[in-house]
Each structure stands twice: as C-alpha cells, then as structure tokens.
Amino acid sequence: MYSEIGVKNLIRDSKDNCNWEHALCGYILTIYTIPNTEYIWVVTSEKNVYLLHTENGKIIHAFENIAELIFTSVKQPNTQELFLATNNGIFALNTEGKIKHILKENNWFEHLAFSLDGKVLFVAKGKTLYLFEQENEEYCLVKQDSSFNSTISDIIFKHGSFLVANYGGIREYKPNDAYNYSLFEWKTSLLLTSWSTDKKYIATATQENAVHFWTYPFIENNDFQISGFENKITKMLWNKDASLFIVNSGEDIDLWDFSDGPPTGKQPINLRCGNGKICDIYFDENLLIAASENGFIYFFLPDESNRLVQICAIEEKISCIAVNEDETELLVGSSSGKIYSFDIAI
Amino acid sequence: MKNQKIPVTILTGFLGSGKTTLLNRILSENHGKKIAVIENEFGEVGVDNELVIGADEEIFEMNNGCICCTVRGDLIRILTRLTKRKDKLDMILVETTGMANPAPVAQTFWVDNDLKEQFSLDAIITIVDAKHINLHIKDSDECKEQIAFADIVILNKIDLVTETEVAQIQKDIRSMNALCEIHKTENTNIDLSKILDVNAFDLEKKIEINPKFGEEEFPYEAIVKYKLEKGTYTLFLEEGPDPSMDIFVTPFRNIETQKHEATVAFSNEAHSISDTQEIKINKLNRLDTSEVSQSFEFVNEEDTVLFFTQHGPEEFNMQLKQDKQTIQPIDIIEIEHSHTHDDEVSSVGIESKKPLDMQKFNLWMGMLLQRNGQDIFRSKGILYFKNYEDRIVFQGVHMLFDAIPDRKWTNNEVKRNQLIFIGRNLDRESIINGFNNCLA
C-alpha cells in the first residue's frame, strides 16, 4: 500500500514515461491494436468508437453516436474490421471510417464471435442465438436459435468450435453444423468462458466467485471447480502449453499449476498487487501486466519467477489495457474516457 | 477515487396497483436526477435523460441448484453493465412483475459482492391497491410477501374506499410488517423525495417512525379482573365464534409483568376442559364451547384474580357465578388486536438494553436462519455487543445476512439492541427466548 505522497510521486513519475494521452468520450471498454498498421481501435461502452494513431493518439476516425450502449466487440480475423454488439443491433466499422449496420434491431445484442476464418459469425441477443455466414463479403443470417432458456452470457471461438454459455451449461457448436451441439452442464449462472490452449479444459467463471472446469472431450463426473475467489473472475488466461491458468482474484493474480492435470490439493502462485481490484491482465510467456481499478499497473517477469519489476500509475480508474504485437507499447484505457500510451522498457 | 454507491429502489405491487403510473411520474418529473429504470418487459427506449431498460426476469438458483439462494440473473447482468458508464447514474429503479416474489431481487444484493460494492439497496417499495387488496391478500402468498418485504408501502387508490376501510388496511399491513412506512395516495401521487434515495435501510430512522417497534403482540383479547372471596365458583360460557376458548387464570400481582407471563402461557400446550370440569389455575385451559351453553368449576384461594381470555368475554357471554349470583368484574382490559386478516405473516420485534455475547448470538442467529430462513423474509437490527465499541448493523433476507460495524456508540446515546424479524408463522416466544439466551 502506498502513502498518499507515494502515490502522487508514482503518478508524476509515470507521467514522465507517458508517450501521449488523449481524452475521448465514454467509458473505455476495449482497446485493440491492429497488426501491421499504425492504428488502434478504442471502443467505449456508450455511443462512440475511435480509430487512433498509435504514435501520437491522434483521432483518425471518430465513429460517434453508433448506439446508446455498446456491449462487446470483436475484430474480423481477416480484415481487422471491428464488429460491435450494441443495444441497436450489430455494426461493422472499417479503418476507412465506414459503418455498416449488419443487423438492425432495437434490442440488447450482447455477445459475438467469429470463426477463425471469419466466415461464420455467432451473435447473441437475450436468449436467442443468431448465426451469420459470409457470402460475397456480406454477412447473411442463416439461422436463429431460440431454444435457450436463459440469457446467453458469453460466446467464444476456439479450437474449431463455438462455445456458447448461459445459465446451466455451455454448448459447443461446430461452425459448419449449427443445428447440433454438445452440452457441458453445470446448473448455475455461468459468465465468462475460456478454453485451455491444449484443448483439454473448458473453464467458465461462475456467479459464485468460482471457476468451473470440464475436461474435453466430455467425461461424465470429471468436472471440477476452483472456488473461494474474492470476486467474480473477469479474466482467464492460459500460457502456451496450458500448464498455467491465470486469473484475477481481488487485488491479486493467481497462477494455477495445471502441468500435471487439475491442480487438486495445490495452492496457486499468488502475485500480490494491492491498490484496488485487478481489472485486466495481459500475459505472454515473457511478460505479465496487471492493471488495478484504482489506476495502478504492475509488470511481472514470468520467466524470472514472476519477479515484480515495475509499477506505474495514472490518476484515473483503469478499465482496460492492451499491448502491441512486439510488446513495446502499453495502452491504458480509463473509465472516464482517457487513453494513455506508455513505452514498455523492461 | 472512492466509489459513491448508487442507490437502487425496488418497486413491487400487484398488476393494476399503480406501478406504471408511478414509474411514468418518476420519469417525467423534473427532479434533475439521472435515473435508469429496469422494467419487466423487454425492449428499451431512451426517455429524455433517462435510461429505460427492459428485462426478462430470470431467477437463478445458485450453487448447482440451491433453492435458498435464488437471485435475479438479469439484474446482475444489467447492473454490471450500468457500472461501465462514464457518467454515473444517480439512482436505479427496478420494477418487478406483479406476481414477483421480492426475495430473489433483494438477495441479489446480498449474494453478489461486486454489486454490493457499487450499489446500495435504498428501499423496497410495495404499492398496494386499497380497493382490491382484500382479494389478493386472501389468495396470494406473493401479495403477503410483497408487503412483508417492503420498507415503504404506498397505499394507493384510497379515494375508492372508505376511511374506515383505509384504517383497517393500514392495520392489516402493520400487523404483517411492523417497520414499514405507509403512505396513503390517490393515483400514486406522492412527493418523490419520500420514496427515492431515502436510505430506508437506516433502521434507526425507521424505529423513530414506528414507536411501537419491539412492542409485544398479545395472543389474548381481554384481561378480566375479579375481586373474589375464597371458595368455589362457576364460569358460564355460551356458544361463541369458536368451538373452544383458551383461558389463563392467575392471581393478580402486577398486570404489566403478568401480560408477558400470560403470553408465555398461551404458547404452551393447552389442557382441554369439558363441561363441568375444573379450570386449573396458572395453566392454559382450553374450554370446550361446542354446546349452546356450558359451565366450568373454578376453585379460588386468592383475593384478586386475572382471567386472560383468548376472545372477548362478551363473544361467549362469559359470566362468573357463585350460588347463582353473578360476580361483576372490577375491570376488563381489552387488548388491541391487529391480526384481523392474516396472522400467518407477522413481525417480531425485540428491544433490550443488555449487551449481547457475540459468539452466542452468531451461533443462535446462524441456527435460526438455517432452520427457519425460508419463513423469515427479512431480519434487521442494530446490535449492542459486550466489549465492542461499535454498533453493529444487521440485515438479512431469508437465510442470507450481513452484520457490519456501523459507528461507535456515542456517549449520550443509550446502548441497546433492536431487532426485527418479518416472516411467516414466526414463533415469537422461541425467538425472544433464543435472543435472551444470547445476552452476556
């Protein structure tokens, strides 16, 4: 815990290392770097999306008043277009500044995910799942599935399948067969979904501050749970060989050892951060960055026994972070709409 | 960078009670506040500065199907979403469907730590249609529960009933929920400052509003006092509204103390007494009144005796005679009895200036809520623990409860425990005894 003066000094020192900052309009929900370009997407939760120049934060395109509420976004894997799920349907934005209204409906569209080749798009609105297929660069609605008995809480695409979560379980769909699915059942409110990099485990954060796991392929009574977290898990990451499972837990980061299978009876490696709940984590084999809601950013080196090497801070509540492809730049978004760029020099 | 919690008001009430009228007023009135309304219909529209969100009530069981921990999944989802805004909302209003059980809505704020950090449950408001309440209250558990859960009851449409009926409904509501504020309205016309951002969970404030907090409700309707000689008497009873009447006879000492003793006696098993049999002193007697008239023997060894009668003595034309001479009572005390409609749902209030033993209290409360949590809709209180400088504020919904230090007791305030339980079929005696056993 820092003293008041300590925090002020840290913020002042961090400012000196800040490349640029820019005040945008809206709570910053997500920042995406765009590989092989000098641009970044900045998505706010209300109305606006921005395309910024990564070098100086200059606005290239401001997409304003798109929708009252923006829930989630995803990049089209081939074109880097940004697709938005909003309270007014689905939008696609491109780096040329054009907006396309893929689906227009005044309702809460909360989740969306692309197949790896970008040809199939799954979208969720309440208890309804929409499936779009790409034909001649247009996305056409091919199926609408209203068989869910509760609101869909997450969609991801990984290992050639879509995973769709809602209360009571996760459905696995193959992109070429939206009519059949496998069900991974657990009767509780399932929130965020993740699939281990080695494909062995499907994990879902639950309402009860726990993570529920199923082994893949599904084996009956083989599911297990890690519980007792301080808050609902909002970040779940795996390292390349799935030997580590990384989550935010209150003011800390927990690293669970999956190298010998489920970590039954094991304690996690606990990276203590402090100064507010951890709201976002970036992880690569060489670098782990965690941001706390209260404006602190922690840099750890995983290959040096998770040594804490740097802390910086901003005078804002952090909402998200992003790191560019070569891990030289950290972008920090805040709940009041400010975005900061820092050099990563470790 | 500390968070100011956003107050959340929950609006319940049966179809046609006036919820929509009130919502429209809140949305259209110039109160200068940015409010999000979560309605029970899907589809949202922006109304000027307000955000109206449609919700499909989704009641989720937690922990792989535990029915005692139901929460509103849609509410968690929407409220979480509303925290991701640049400009904070001033308040949130949640409208429930007419038949909704308020428990999952309220429990949502107990169960979800993330929501607890961002939002504070400001008040549960129940709108009661004065014209049709009697229909609902007889047939519907939900209606009783909505009243039992309420911090504020808006007794609406009072222009459609008589003043006597309004008074009776108020009495009925009060009998179920001893702590709620009751506002009488026509067309839900009420000063919004009385219902929004009122911090209705401030127990201290509520106790001031209802000075009868903690007062005992008596299981008998009258105390008949006789000055007698030693000897044998006959108690005559005619056929009354019930096939039996419970009666507790005891020598007079101090009527206030004896009221409580009689309450205890009434919670014990009654001895059935048939025609011509003898009434036992200091025991609960259940006199058989199934015949047109009956008489019971009473042997008196005292100077003055009290007859605590389950019903008013006039309902059975009760008369005490000796040698065919009717003995006139020296006093008849009628006990105000508010359980006219529904004594299934009621409140038990406890007040004590003696400190509690924390360990004993935690154990007792845990057991009480585990055993009777389904029937205890709400529990709340301010607690005074031995060796603790802070007041402890206690709040619970069914089996879930929170007890947190509030502030230090000040020098000029009386340290005391004040607790209330609102629920169905509450065993007053057992609750009070349990509490008393926790005193240090």
Side-chain angles (χ1 to χ4, degrees), chain A residues 6 11-12 31 73 108 134 143 246-247 261 311 339:
Chain A
I11 291 170
R12 189 198 56 214
I31 302 166
S73 52
W108 279 32
Q134 196 181 29
K143 190 178 180 262
I246 301 143
V247 291
I311 302 174
I339 178 165

Side-chain angles (χ1 to χ4, degrees), chain A residues 45-46 71 87 106-108 110 127 150-151 167 186-187 207-208 231-232 277 294 317 336, chain B residues 1 42 44 53 56 58 60-65 76-77 81 84-86 112-114 117:
Chain A
S45 66
E46 300 151 275
F71 297 108
N87 69 321
N106 191 15
N107 243 318
W108 279 32
E110 291 184 83
K127 299 172 189 171
S150 68
T151 300
Y167 179 89
W186 182 249
K187 200 179 171 188
Q207 171 65 34
E208 297 96 330
N231 53 270
K232 276 181 272 185
K277 282 201 290 190
N294 289 356
K317 276 182 169 287
S336 63
Chain B
M1 264 188 271
F42 231 99
E44 71 280 342
I53 302 156
D56 192 3
E58 291 185 331
F60 290 158
E61 292 158 4
M62 305 269 285
N63 298 314
N64 205 20
I76 294 172
R77 189 168 52 85
R81 183 62 62 183
K84 293 179 179 176
R85 294 172 63 92
K86 185 180 177 187
D112 194 296
N113 290 337
D114 296 314
E117 284 173 18

Side-chain angles (χ1 to χ4, degrees), chain A residues 269-305:
Chain A
I269 297 168
N270 181 255
L271 306 183
R272 187 118 194 88
C273 299
N275 299 301
K277 282 201 290 190
I278 299 298
C279 58
D280 206 353
I281 304 172
Y282 169 82
F283 177 81
D284 190 359
E285 304 300 301
N286 312 312
L287 182 63
L288 192 159
I289 304 172
S292 84
E293 280 178 349
N294 289 356
F296 286 72
I297 303 150
Y298 305 85
F299 297 78
F300 299 91
L301 295 180
D303 52 3
E304 290 182 26
S305 306

Side-chain angles (χ1 to χ4, degrees), chain A residues 19-66:
Chain A
N19 295 324
W20 52 263
E21 61 178 74
H22 200 125
L24 302 170
C25 192
Y27 178 108
I28 297 179
L29 207 56
T30 324
I31 302 166
Y32 297 98
T33 59
I34 309 174
N36 308 315
T37 72
E38 294 169 318
Y39 303 137
I40 52 170
W41 286 116
V42 183
V43 183
T44 73
S45 66
E46 300 151 275
K47 298 177 183 171
N48 308 325
V49 175
Y50 301 90
L51 186 74
L52 301 187
H53 200 288
T54 187
E55 203 169 282
N56 51 18
K58 192 181 152 198
I59 296 177
I60 307 298
H61 294 294
F63 303 85
E64 288 170 335
N65 293 313
I66 294 172

Side-chain angles (χ1 to χ4, degrees), chain B residues 213-257:
Chain B
F213 171 81
E215 273 188 16
E216 193 168 3
E217 282 183 39
F218 299 105
Y220 41 85
E221 290 187 357
I223 307 167
V224 189
K225 190 176 180 184
Y226 288 103
K227 188 160 178 59
L228 302 173
E229 304 284 326
K230 285 183 184 172
T232 302
Y233 294 80
T234 309
L235 185 75
F236 288 90
L237 292 176
E238 290 179 3
E239 193 178 21
D242 277 349
S244 70
M245 176 157 84
D246 289 354
I247 193 162
F248 175 69
V249 185
T250 188
F252 168 70
R253 294 190 317 277
N254 175 312
I255 203 148
E256 286 309 313
T257 323

